């Protein structure tokens, strides 16, 4: 997925198409960009999702009803893969009316198999895959449109490596006989 270009979803029609594309996949990577400063509840500004087939960036400012998207993750057969998944779980619960049943938080899994806890997304990608990615956009104002190319690249990279890291961590957990630890968390 190193060279996959993210597709931007900024209409209800594109979101419906995306949901249909994602539906067959039982493991999906997800991340969100939001603004929480000065707010009681964080304002969702961007949703990034990865399947084995692609990467999509969903603009909730243009498509505010993401219920059908979040409902994918409420399916008890589907696994949500994320890093520090707390906010993604909350957005899913709010959007779908139910929390995801199966979540693999790569930050927690990495700690359980000896990589240390908590490692940032950038450090997880480097330690697990040997790939250096640039950070630096985590404190950007994600509400401003249009998003700059550097913001779009950062957002896509947040999910680009999630499924590959999942594979590495589950392989290591299996070798260490800690799969039940990872699944339990």
């Amino acid at each position: 997925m190193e060279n996959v270009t993210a597709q931007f979803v900024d209409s209800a029609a594109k979101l419906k198409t995306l949901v249909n594309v994602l539906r067959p996949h039982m493991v999906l990577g997800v991340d969100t960009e939001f603004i929480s400063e000065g707010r009681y509840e964080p304002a969702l500004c961007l949703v990034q999702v990865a399947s084995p087939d692609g990467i999509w960036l969903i603009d909730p400012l243009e498509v505010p009803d993401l219920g059908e998207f979040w409902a994918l993750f409420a399916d008890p057969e589907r696994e949500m893969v994320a890093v520090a998944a707390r906010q993604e779980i909350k957005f899913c619960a709010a959007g779908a009316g139910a929390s995801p049943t199966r979540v693999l938080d790569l930050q927690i899994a990495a700690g359980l198999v000896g990589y240390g806890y908590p490692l940032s997304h950038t450090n997880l990608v480097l330690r697990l895959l040997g790939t250096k990615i640039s950070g630096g956009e985590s404190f950007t104002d994600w509400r401003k449109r249009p998003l700059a190319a550097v913001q779009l690249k950062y957002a896509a990279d947040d999910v680009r490596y999630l499924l590959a890291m999942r594979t590495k961590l589950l392989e290591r957990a299996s070798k260490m006989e800690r799969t039940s630890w990872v699944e339990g968390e």
Side-chain angles (χ1 to χ4, degrees), residues 38-160:
R39 302 183 58 88
Y40 180 71
E41 291 290 331
L44 182 61
C45 299
L46 193 68
V47 179
Q48 306 98 282
V49 63
S51 78
D53 300 331
I55 297 169
W56 296 266
L57 306 176
I58 304 168
D59 186 348
L61 303 182
E62 292 293 324
V63 190
D65 183 1
L66 300 180
E68 192 176 4
F69 169 78
W70 287 120
L72 290 171
F73 295 98
D75 177 347
E77 299 299 314
R78 188 166 287 108
E79 180 180 301
M80 172 190 281
V81 179
V83 174
R86 181 173 180 251
Q87 200 58 57
E88 287 72 24
I89 293 167
K90 287 178 144 188
F91 284 131
C92 179
S99 295
T101 307
R102 297 181 58 211
V103 178
L104 178 60
D105 187 322
L106 299 177
Q107 193 177 59
I108 293 171
L112 292 172
V113 296
Y115 282 103
Y117 177 86
L119 289 178
S120 69
H121 176 267
T122 303
N123 285 327
L124 279 170
V125 173
L126 183 61
R127 298 267 317 267
L128 293 171
L129 304 176
T131 301
K132 185 172 171 97
I133 58 172
S134 60
E137 292 302 314
S138 55
F139 295 106
T140 193
D141 185 349
W142 290 101
R143 294 172 292 195
K144 290 190 177 177
R145 297 294 186 270
L147 294 170
V150 67
Q151 291 173 301
L152 295 171
K153 180 179 181 340
Y154 171 90
D157 283 350
D158 270 358
V159 294
R160 183 177 311 279

